Amino acid sequence: MAKRKKRSQPSLRLTRQKLVDGFTGPDQTCIRLARPEESHRVGELLKAATAEMEQAHLDGVAAGRCGTWLLEGLSGVDRALTEPLVRAAAEGRLQEAALALTLPLVAQARDGELVGALLALPPGTVVQTVRDAGYPQHALLAMLKYVKLKALAVAQEAQGQGLGAALLKRCTQLYWQLDFMLLYGEFETERALGPFYERQGFTVLEPGESTDVGYVLTGRPIGLGAGPGEQLFLRWRRS
């Protein structure tokens, strides 16, 4: 008799509580949402990965404003992202909305020390580009469909354990569950991070190469590329 093929088990859906409490990561670490009192350590980790870390994002973590809408979405609240975004746009509060859609994740070691951090947020460059192209409503939609990985960092003493991959996995899982379509980021070419992101399922573009991010939103192409000395990596959610 022919052997039956094993059915692949569906991945468990994230919940608000699980994101707050955390998931077991490599070497008994805990992957979870960053807490307000951890903003300083989160900043230390992320600033080692990028020189473009904005203090407003760290202040948002400290104030407990980051990820609030994402948590509501995981709780199953109907239109948890769209309705507050429309209100915020009408009231001129898009910076506040961007924080509510920002995800700060940390990796906590067994001794309680934070040894890894990730920050993902609405893509300001894409939003502005779409708006400048004459599509203001589509620019709002970009905030609910596209995500930029601002920074991903693991402390030197904890590298080589798979923590970066674990943080990225949970980030991707969360945004895909909330029906986002694209996760992308940039890295300095000299850091040679292409193989790492390719192992995580991302496409890594060559220096100077761009990709279209506009057609699925507006019906017309809008190019996105990395800055000088950087490379773009991206991953589209499969339907």
Side-chain angles (χ1 to χ4, degrees):
M1 296 178 62
K3 293 183 179 180
R4 292 183 177 178
K5 293 182 178 180
K6 292 183 179 180
R7 294 182 178 178
S8 59
Q9 295 295 324
S11 58
L12 296 177
R13 290 180 65 82
L14 294 181
T15 64
R16 177 189 185 120
Q17 197 60 51
K18 195 64 178 174
L19 184 63
V20 171
D21 293 342
F23 301 83
T24 300
D27 197 26
Q28 299 183 36
T29 53
C30 179
I31 309 295
R32 57 168 173 77
L33 191 70
R35 298 165 183 163
E37 65 271 18
E38 297 167 339
S39 62
H40 179 71
R41 176 57 177 164
V42 169
E44 288 181 335
L45 288 165
L46 294 180
K47 287 177 181 178
T50 177
E52 300 179 353
M53 182 56 54
E54 297 179 17
Q55 187 60 40
H57 295 133
L58 300 178
D59 291 343
V61 175
R65 294 179 179 176
C66 286
T68 53
W69 293 358
L70 302 176
L71 290 174
E72 290 296 303
L74 292 178
S75 299
V77 176
D78 187 38
R79 299 177 66 83
L81 307 183
T82 54
E83 290 184 352
L85 178 58
V86 171
R87 288 197 300 270
E91 297 167 3
R93 296 184 293 106
L94 282 183
Q95 288 187 338
E96 177 184 325
L99 287 177
L101 293 168
T102 293
L103 178 66
L105 289 181
V106 295
Q108 182 179 29
R110 285 176 289 178
D111 62 3
E113 180 73 12
L114 297 188
V115 292
L118 174 152
L119 189 72
L121 41 75
T125 299
V126 174
V127 171
Q128 188 61 47
T129 300
V130 174
R131 182 180 291 114
D132 292 344
Y135 299 92
Q137 297 304 316
H138 295 81
L140 285 183
L141 182 61
M143 293 182 68
L144 299 179
K145 293 300 179 183
Y146 294 171
V147 186
K148 181 176 183 180
L149 181 63
K150 180 68 174 180
L152 172 61
V154 175
Q156 186 172 2
E157 68 273 13
Q159 292 178 5
Q161 301 176 15
L163 289 178
L167 285 162
L168 192 52
K169 173 184 176 181
R170 293 306 176 188
C171 169
T172 305
Q173 183 182 6
L174 180 145
Y175 282 108
W176 278 192
Q177 186 172 315
L178 295 177
D179 291 327
F180 283 72
M181 298 171 55
L182 174 69
L183 175 61
Y184 78 93
E186 304 164 347
F187 62 85
E188 295 176 355
T189 300
E190 64 181 17
R191 298 183 66 189
L193 292 173
F196 166 76
Y197 285 109
E198 288 175 343
R199 289 195 298 272
Q200 314 315 316
F202 287 79
T203 298
V204 178
L205 303 186
E206 294 297 324
E209 189 178 0
S210 63
T211 188
D212 171 56
V213 297
Y215 194 82
V216 296
L217 290 178
T218 67
R220 58 161 287 182
I222 297 176
L224 174 68
E230 296 181 325
Q231 286 178 251
L232 191 77
F233 61 92
L234 67 148
R235 181 175 174 181
W236 291 92
R237 176 171 61 88
R238 296 180 179 177
S239 56

